[in-house]
Amino acid sequence: MNSHNIEEAKNCLIDFFGEMYVWESAVIETEERADNDELSEEEIQRYFKKAKEDLALIFEEFCEVGRAAKRLQDEGLSFNIPPEYDLEENPIESILEKNDKVIIETKPASGLGFCYRYELVNSENGWKIRDNRKYATLTPEAKWSSGLL
């Protein structure tokens, strides 16, 4: 096991979580302002267009699929309340290096919600997230299903 590879892949995922946490928090705040009629419809549309572009930049930096991500092809914006990308709430459970890739799993600290598995590969542009899968913690026969990359 190459500890350097593992550390670099882990740092990539941690940085991705940091960017996504900031992004989701900003979208949630704007959604709340919109719900409280603090923003005009034009301001809302302008903000969500910019938020989608910001998300595309994050995916381009951290994900192998980049701007072609399914999540970016959807009409609206997908986000969670509270933010899903929070390592305090969803800490890293395990890290495994296998066949030139690193697989990192997170598990909700509360035990409720979704466990996630991220597959990272070392590309010519550094470590990138290739795939993510999830399963519901409360479903005994749950299987890993495709995420949103």
Side-chain angles (χ1 to χ4, degrees):
M1 200 178 282
N2 185 335
S3 61
H4 182 70
N5 282 348
I6 290 174
E7 202 58 35
E8 285 185 351
K10 179 181 170 185
N11 288 337
C12 173
L13 187 66
I14 289 170
D15 291 346
F16 174 71
F17 266 54
E19 293 287 329
M20 288 299 295
Y21 183 85
V22 168
W23 181 85
E24 275 191 324
S25 296
V27 171
I28 290 166
E29 180 183 322
T30 301
E31 180 80 10
E32 289 170 353
R33 290 183 62 210
D35 288 347
N36 293 330
D37 296 324
E38 297 173 23
L39 299 172
S40 69
E41 188 61 36
E42 183 180 314
E43 289 172 313
I44 294 167
Q45 294 305 317
R46 193 169 43 243
Y47 175 80
F48 283 116
K49 182 177 180 183
K50 182 184 178 320
K52 194 158 197 169
E53 180 57 31
D54 291 345
L55 183 62
L57 291 173
I58 293 169
F59 273 56
E60 197 169 274
E61 181 176 351
F62 293 101
C63 303
E64 188 178 53
V65 71
R67 290 179 179 267
K70 178 185 179 313
R71 185 172 184 169
L72 297 173
Q73 308 311 313
D74 293 339
E75 189 68 29
L77 284 178
S78 174
F79 61 95
N80 293 292
I81 301 173
E84 179 174 59
Y85 296 93
D86 181 348
L87 283 174
E88 287 184 23
E89 295 299 321
N90 294 294
I92 292 173
E93 176 80 4
S94 66
I95 302 175
L96 172 69
E97 186 175 26
K98 183 178 178 183
N99 301 331
D100 297 329
K101 57 187 167 191
V102 174
I103 298 167
I104 302 175
E105 293 181 6
T106 63
K107 184 176 183 179
S110 68
L112 304 174
F114 289 99
C115 292
Y116 289 90
R117 176 186 292 164
Y118 298 89
E119 179 182 306
L120 292 93
V121 293
N122 196 355
S123 71
E124 60 188 41
N125 297 319
W127 285 92
K128 300 280 185 181
I129 300 166
R130 172 174 282 170
D131 189 24
N132 73 318
R133 308 246 167 202
K134 66 181 179 180
Y135 76 86
T137 58
L138 295 178
T139 307
E141 59 281 338
K143 295 182 179 162
W144 292 106
S145 63
S146 294
L148 290 173
L149 295 183

